């Protein structure tokens, strides 16, 4: 094993540094993933767009670098769209990349491809949006059908105030200011989902509302998309058939000592909108394609957990997909241990916790608690309930800890179903 810390089923660069996912787009049967990348070292810097594509979101073909530093600037984050009608003047069905040119000053630029993303050319009349004020970066471009024009969500700091500004353009190359919403930092994401619009920044705190093509109108409070230590700069794929919405994020802050690469992305999740305890919430669940990676599977059904005993060390491996539906009595204390790390649910407090982070998660009236845990060599992702609670965490497990265990310290836990699936590359 030459790279013992290379994740088995999470995306990493072949070599060098990786951070924000960029330009996510489904095009001609491929899921395209661009990403912030330093191909010359394992530290942040020399920002370049790496590029990979996949037919299943699991197995990735690494392609040549898409955008490299030029002039006196590097290539910061952005997005991709398919210009079906050739509005930008680069040809019908051109693949367009919008990015921040990190020069002096920063501005927003565009590159295009007419060969399905194999190569990209810079637009001759860049920038498409000159420097605005202070920090301005990370353009997220999308089409608004109701307003019949293109929109750009852009992080802009005015003075000491962080916010997302919206710009519009009929032809993608000349953008006009339309509105601003305060309090969001970096890497904006904005999309429509099941009749509502979603807006969030790099930290994943999102708000639901309506977007009329000019301004975002929030409805309700901001909510967390992830409670873990290592979730940042999430983005979703555009142009996906059947309005499927798939999200991936940078697992910021992981450690990979001695490896030729640095950092990883989360496992892709499907995003849905559900009513949880009378409130609309975004829910995330691992994409169903993960079943293609299952190599062995063990099931436990209709079993009461005995205090001080539990289900201990029955399953061994490096990477797992664990899924459970449990029936808990009030006051029950559940502990799921995966490779030495514990996920704890306190039924009395109705709290789910792991890696020192805690989230409120009410126990349903029928007392059925759902948990899903994805464990890879260097990460554990936890999904609670319908996926309204999620924790994305990086870790470096002791190599001696290779098992999954389930216990209830005081009883009151009944296993309805438990599936432990071993994952191999």
């Amino acid at each position: 094993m030459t790279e013992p810390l290379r994740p088995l089923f999470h995306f990493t660069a072949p070599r060098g540094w990786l951070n924000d996912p960029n330009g996510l787009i489904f095009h001609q049967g491929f899921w395209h993933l661009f990403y912030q990348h330093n191909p010359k070292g394992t530290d942040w810097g020399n920002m370049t767009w790496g590029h990979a594509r996949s037919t299943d979101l699991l197995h990735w073909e690494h392609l040549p670098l898409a955008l490299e530093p030029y002039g006196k600037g590097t290539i910061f984050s952005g997005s991709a769209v398919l210009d079906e009608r050739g509005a930008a003047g680069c040809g019908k069905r051109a693949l367009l990349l919008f990015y921040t040119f990190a020069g002096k000053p920063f501005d927003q630029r565009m590159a295009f491809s007419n060969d399905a993303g194999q190569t990209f050319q810079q637009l001759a009349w860049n920038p498409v949006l000159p420097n605005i004020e202070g920090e301005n970066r990370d353009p997220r471009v999308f089409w608004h059908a109701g307003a019949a024009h293109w929109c750009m969500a852009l992080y802009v700091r005015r003075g000491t105030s962080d916010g997302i500004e919206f710009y519009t353009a009929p032809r993608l190359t000349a953008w006009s200011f339309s509105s601003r919403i305060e309090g969001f930092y970096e890497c904006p994401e904005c999309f429509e989902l099941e009749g509502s619009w979603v807006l969030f920044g790099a930290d994943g705190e999102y708000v639901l509302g309506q977007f009329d093509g000019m301004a975002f109108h929030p409805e309700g409070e901001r909510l967390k998309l992830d409670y873990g230590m290592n979730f940042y700069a999430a983005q979703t794929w555009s142009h996906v058939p059947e309005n499927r919405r798939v999200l991936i994020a940078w697992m910021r802050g992981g450690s990979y000592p001695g490896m030729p690469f640095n950092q990883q992305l989360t496992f892709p999740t499907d995003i849905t909108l559900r009513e949880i305890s009378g409130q609309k919430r975004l829910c995330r669940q691992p994409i169903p394609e993960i079943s293609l990676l299952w190599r062995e599977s063990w099931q436990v059904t209709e079993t009461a957990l005995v205090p001080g005993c539990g289900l201990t060390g029955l399953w061994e491996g490096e990477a797992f997909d664990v899924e459970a539906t449990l029936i808990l009595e009030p006051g029950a204390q559940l502990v799921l241990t995966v490779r030495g790390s514990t996920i704890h649910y306190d039924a009395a407090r109705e709290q789910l916790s792991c890696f020192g982070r805690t989230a409120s998660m009410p126990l349903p009236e029928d007392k059925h608690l759902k948990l899903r845990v994805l464990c890879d060599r260097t990460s554990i992702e936890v999904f609670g309930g319908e996926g309204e609670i999620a924790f994305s965490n990086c870790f470096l497990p002791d190599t001696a800890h290779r098992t999954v265990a389930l216990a209830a310290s005081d009883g009151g836990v009944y296993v309805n179903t438990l599936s432990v699936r071993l994952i191999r590359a």
Side-chain angles (χ1 to χ4, degrees), residues 327-334 344-349 408-413:
I327 303 173
L328 276 67
E329 295 299 327
Q333 301 288 326
L334 173 75
H344 176 240
Y345 185 75
D346 185 328
R349 292 184 172 88
S409 57
D410 300 316
V413 177

Side-chain angles (χ1 to χ4, degrees), residues 236-380:
T236 63
W237 270 269
S238 60
H239 299 273
V240 179
E242 299 178 355
N243 296 317
R244 185 183 181 189
R245 186 62 61 170
V246 181
L247 176 145
I248 198 168
W250 170 29
M251 296 194 80
R252 181 174 68 168
S255 180
Y256 311 83
M259 295 295 99
F261 66 93
N262 193 358
Q263 306 298 293
Q264 70 179 72
L265 301 185
T266 61
F267 189 74
T269 51
D270 278 321
I271 301 287
T272 57
L273 192 61
R274 293 175 178 267
E275 187 169 303
I276 306 293
S277 300
Q279 182 182 39
K280 280 187 177 182
R281 298 287 299 267
L282 286 183
C283 295
R284 296 168 49 216
Q285 290 285 5
I287 57 171
E289 288 90 338
I290 194 173
S291 63
L292 298 174
L293 301 178
W294 298 342
R295 295 297 177 262
E296 296 179 58
S297 183
W298 303 275
Q299 284 79 37
V300 175
T301 60
E302 299 182 355
T303 301
L305 294 184
V306 178
C309 184
L311 304 171
T312 304
L314 300 181
W315 311 282
E316 183 174 349
E318 276 192 300
F320 299 97
D321 178 0
V322 181
E323 190 169 10
T325 300
L326 308 144
I327 303 173
L328 276 67
E329 295 299 327
Q333 301 288 326
L334 173 75
V335 177
L336 173 62
T337 304
V338 182
R339 297 208 62 189
S341 295
T342 59
I343 297 98
H344 176 240
Y345 185 75
D346 185 328
R349 292 184 172 88
E350 296 188 312
Q351 291 179 338
L352 181 66
S353 60
C354 62
F355 291 90
R357 301 291 184 96
T358 298
S360 174
M361 193 174 82
L363 187 65
E365 291 183 5
D366 63 5
K367 302 180 182 179
H368 284 62
L369 178 75
K370 294 181 180 179
L371 287 177
R372 183 86 177 266
V373 179
L374 301 187
C375 175
D376 206 338
R377 284 174 171 168
T378 52
S379 62
I380 289 182

